[in-house]
Amino acid sequence: MNPASPTGGAGDTSGTEADSAGRADDPRRTDDTGRADDTGRAEKDGRADEDGRADDAGRAARIAAVEAALAELNLPGTADLLGGTDMWSVGPAGRCGRLVFSDGPAGVRGEDWTPEDPSLALPSPTAIGATWDIAAAHRAGLLLAQEARRKGAHVVLAPTVNLHRTPYGGRHFEAYSEDPELTGVLGAALVAGLQEGGVGATPKHYVANDAETDRYTVDVRVDGRTLRELYLAPFERIVRTARPWALMAAYNSVNGVTMSEHDVLNNDVLRTEWGFDGVLVSDWTGARSTVGCARGGLDLAMPGPHTVYGEHLVAAVREGKVAPETVETFARRVLLLAARVGVLEGAPRAVPASGLPTPLDGRAAVRDLAARSFVLLRNENDALPLEPAREAPAQTPPPSGPAARPVRRIAVSGLHASALRFGGGGSAQVFPERVDAPLDALRDALPADAELSYEPGPDPRSRLAAATPADGFRLEAVLHGLDDAELVRTHQRDGSVRWMGSLPGGASFADLGRVELVGTFTPVRGGTHRLAVRGVGHFRLEAGGRVLYDAELQPDSEDPAAAFLNPPQRVFLLDAEEGAEMPVRLLHSVSSPGVGGLFGLVSFELGYGAPAVPDDELIERAGRAAAEADAAVVFVGTTDESESEGVDRETLALPGRQDDLVARVARANPRTVVVVNAGAPVLMPWRQDVAAVLLCWFPGEAGGAALADVLLGTAEPGGRLPTTWPGAEDDLPVRQVVPDSDGQLPYTEGPLIGYRAWCRHTDAPPAYWFGHGLGYTTWLYETLHVTVCEPGTRRDGDPYAPVAEVTVRVRNSGSRHGREVVQLYLGPEGPDRRLAAFAVVEAAAGSSAQARLTVPLRAVQSWDDTMLTWRTHPGPHLFAAGRSAADIRLTAELSLPVEG
């Protein structure tokens, strides 16, 4: 080991020590790369893996059970294992029981897509990315596993490890970061947590599925270096270090070949080069060709019952187009997955019941995760935290610092304060039992003598939200058969009807003729109300004895999931008096058993809008309330229409007149705090005119309580930006998400996305750099010490073996306990600088802490497109430690003894 330090060593070690996995005291059974122990390891021919910790007896028993089950299946039976039985499951077949999958990037929904079967809603993956904390990501994996077991799911379709190539990507909120290192490390930690809980993880969407426009057909054109160093990198780290039991192929094509059929990327890279031994499953409806998928290495086609495998695969084998051995290989992998999760007869689970992690308090855990993810972008004059005014006893000296400016009156405004957007739409959507509204949480947390006012401001939504009991609706859903007989009647929590794969009461999609929402509407106030129908198909809307609509609604796009993800909405006016109860009925004729007839789906909505108040009046009310308060808190954010799966964003501007609301409140009160509730970057033209900006992402079901904790100082906002935030759309270095006329989307920017691309535009810096975040204390960076690892100490062929160990000592120079994310970059200032490692430390006021960062071999390598191999660079390398990609505090330059 060769030490090098420009500052004379590591020095004081008071406070905490954290390694580059981001933990000071991590209870996980993983090493510093997020690599799971025997519960998450690969199972290859019954042999232990390289660290010798594998359960040889259990592995051998699973392999024997797989072979026994396979021996009992004929060709049709084997082929049946390779396609879904229904929307979410495979099997049962022979000795294999029913293997259940579930969506799960931010919560495990289970088989029923309905609010009647609630789930724990975690912060969005981008929020997890903002923690920069591998222990937090691991805990999120444990929570997902715990929920999956409760829901009866064996495999969770998570994590999403595509990159934030551009903020125009509509599914931005479902991925971690613009950086492959941060994405890969956190993704590996979540996989480890899931599989330590006995539940299979499914990293997705492999690969280059970074936008939503024409996502089923787009052909991403990307050079080899960019593909290897950016888009494949998170998948490679996760496969090599966390050993996922499954992985999902994306819809899109890469360089002319659709990913469910990509022989080179699936067979050569994923399996032969990286050693992946799990199940490669299609994205839902993403398998299109029997022979193409078989030759491209796709093990499992979902959903069922109609897939390109099954009888089609049997025919291809008998016609000599697919080798029988290929079918056996695929089935062996599916059976191994079944064995690992405990649904294969005679096979011990990879994680026995006695080895499951200690149960977590779900609500408390998601509240803590949310607070750790919040990013304080701006905090002028210590506007946050808000210290409530309290009665001071006589002879008490006046307080100093931020507490010297206590607040007794707080003016809250913005719709998101009362209707927090806790999660993103599409496959990441879950239905929590309850969601904490920030407004209610603040009221509960403030002392009794505090005054809190609320003005909702203008509604930023372009579509009406589902009708709710608070609006005056009492609704039931009634399912009728083809003969018009009533099949099932069920209570509705709101006006949203959404059933996928199964129906209430065990009703059959084959017998379903129509569904109707029936009930009453009692207006809370009089005036002209708005009722809306949202969905695809034929609808009839009746209210107060009038027929408001009786016609067909057509989808707005050719996306086969449009009926579910982004259906059209029609709005109708209805005059009604306050308190005058009236009957309401919305009838939907079910003409097909689901999207494209592939699986059962019923999805439509009765929307409602109260009598409108002019936006100018609503903005003025908020301004007047702010003028009378000690502090103002404005909540702004995106909407379901402006940020969701299935559609890319057309603008980064906040929808509606939210910018006008912030500007008016800021003019009225110099201590204006803006809370941004969005899963992706938004423009903030007012950011220099307000005292503080707090980013809360989509914070999960306990986000309101977590916001109260942070705003009032009980908790510190612990997050750092996982993605660079622009100041203006014209400055964005990467903007294209729409394919050209040939259906191709060229990644012409190469590897320069995110902060690396912004480094080229010194004349137009971003609003906030990758890694930025303030917290409630300040930090001094004191020393940086680099110890070089000799080549002989590394394992052959391991790209994540350490080439250097770096220690950074920081000191909490503020007045309260705090958390810091120490970031280590390699390379000179400019686009060649990249994140190499990171660690989270904590320290009390005045104390120091040491961050220990491991630099992996891959950080000093680049892909050689000519030689088709990784090339190692000995240096000299500039080691740069700091608080963001643009805020470097300490540097050291030295060469590494590596073979080039």
Side-chain angles (χ1 to χ4, degrees), residues 132 178 721 724 754-756 758-759 761-762 765-773 823-825 828-830 833-835 880-891:
W132 288 63
E178 69 188 20
L721 286 180
T724 305
Y755 63 93
R756 294 176 65 185
W758 282 101
C759 285
H761 300 280
T762 55
Y768 300 104
W769 283 92
F770 174 80
H772 172 71
Q823 303 162 38
L824 182 69
Y825 298 84
E829 184 176 359
R833 176 172 287 172
R834 67 186 73 179
L835 182 70
R883 307 198 71 246
S884 78
D887 185 2
I888 300 301
R889 303 296 180 88
L890 298 171
T891 62

Side-chain angles (χ1 to χ4, degrees), residues 375-466:
V375 181
L376 186 59
L377 298 176
R378 176 179 172 86
N379 195 25
E380 295 299 296
N381 300 315
D382 294 320
L384 286 177
L386 302 174
E387 177 69 24
R390 303 179 188 277
E391 293 291 339
Q395 308 301 320
T396 299
S400 60
R405 299 177 295 109
V407 297
R408 188 176 300 280
R409 294 173 297 175
I410 302 174
V412 176
S413 59
L415 181 68
H416 290 77
S418 59
L420 182 73
R421 196 163 180 221
F422 67 88
S427 59
Q429 182 183 28
V430 296
F431 302 93
E433 189 169 354
R434 66 186 176 94
V435 176
D436 293 340
L439 182 65
D440 295 336
L442 278 170
R443 283 176 174 150
D444 291 343
L446 287 168
D449 59 347
E451 299 177 20
L452 188 148
S453 65
Y454 176 58
E455 292 293 341
D459 191 335
R461 297 170 294 195
S462 60
R463 291 195 293 254
L464 299 183

Side-chain angles (χ1 to χ4, degrees), residues 786-804:
V786 181
T787 301
V788 176
C789 302
E790 299 293 346
T793 65
R794 296 194 294 270
R795 292 173 294 197
D796 291 341
D798 182 1
Y800 309 108
V803 294

Side-chain angles (χ1 to χ4, degrees), residues 113 223 261 337 381 578 589 670 721 739 797 864:
W113 199 311
D223 66 81
E261 305 173 22
L337 175 60
N381 300 315
E578 180 181 342
S589 299
L721 286 180
D864 188 326

